[in-house]
Amino acid sequence: MVKIVKLEPIAQETEIATNNNLLSVLIEKDLDVLKECGGRGMCATCHVYIKQGMNFLSPMTRREQRTLEIITSCKPTSRLACQSRVLDDGVVVELPPGMYVKSLQDIEALIGRRAEQDLLHPVTGQVLVENGKLITRSTLKQLETTKFQIGEFLTYTTDA
């Protein structure tokens, strides 16, 4: 059976099959989702906020809770889209504002420009450069030790 999910702030309603995860909706709408861990609930790059209908989603697993603990922008309404299965109508999803940085080259190409939206750290979701602010070389410094192959990094750290 099909359920309706609303996406904010883009004000779109979309259909999703019952028990499918929210990530499938985000991918279908071609939204900025990295899904670095392949939907295993380990990377937080599909982090969303649930504005309404938290009780219409599958319960949060311990893995999802642990992953959300590393996100600096986490709120009580945070969920991972890959782990949130839609059980009923009435879910309203708020997409975190900003764009995840995918590589140092992404930043290098933008140095000297103003960010058109918040630039987000690929692991923590922390805002590196706010919307409208100048992108500088210091942003590169903040990312020097970041592992951009997040899926591989998380697999290694969870196996240890």
Side-chain angles (χ1 to χ4, degrees):
M1 197 156 160
V2 176
K3 304 298 179 206
I4 303 296
V5 172
K6 186 173 183 181
L7 302 174
E8 295 290 341
I10 61 175
Q12 285 188 3
E13 286 189 356
T14 189
E15 294 181 342
I16 183 173
T18 301
N19 221 20
N20 271 9
N21 64 34
L22 289 172
L23 182 59
S24 62
V25 171
L26 302 180
I27 291 169
E28 176 189 311
K29 294 293 182 182
D30 199 27
L31 299 172
D32 183 34
V33 180
L34 293 181
K35 64 186 182 327
E36 281 294 316
C37 71
R40 295 179 299 179
M42 297 166 51
C43 72
T45 57
C46 67
H47 170 240
V48 295
Y49 302 113
I50 307 302
K51 287 182 73 173
Q52 204 173 356
M54 184 75 89
N55 55 327
F56 301 141
L57 296 173
S58 58
M60 191 178 299
T61 64
R62 182 67 189 125
R63 175 181 279 177
E64 182 179 3
Q65 289 172 338
R66 284 193 310 261
T67 301
L68 286 171
E69 288 170 1
I70 68 167
I71 305 173
T72 58
S73 58
C74 187
K75 299 178 184 176
T77 60
S78 290
R79 287 297 304 262
L80 299 180
C82 68
Q83 300 298 300
S84 304
R85 300 201 173 278
V86 178
L87 306 176
D88 209 343
D89 288 322
V91 176
V92 178
V93 178
E94 180 182 356
L95 307 170
M99 178 185 85
Y100 283 102
V101 174
K102 298 175 186 163
S103 70
L104 286 177
Q105 290 78 18
D106 286 352
I107 295 293
E108 287 173 343
L110 297 173
I111 289 176
R113 295 184 183 173
R114 297 207 177 270
E116 293 180 16
Q117 57 184 322
D118 288 348
L119 295 181
L120 308 175
H121 191 281
V123 177
T124 65
Q126 175 184 2
V127 176
L128 297 169
V129 181
E130 292 178 17
N131 181 14
K133 299 284 183 175
L134 193 61
I135 301 168
T136 64
R137 293 211 175 274
S138 64
T139 306
L140 287 175
K141 288 280 185 208
Q142 294 178 57
L143 295 169
E144 277 182 342
T145 60
T146 300
K147 306 263 192 248
F148 282 92
Q149 304 305 325
I150 298 165
E152 292 172 24
F153 172 73
L154 290 168
T155 300
Y156 172 75
T157 58
T158 57
D159 290 345

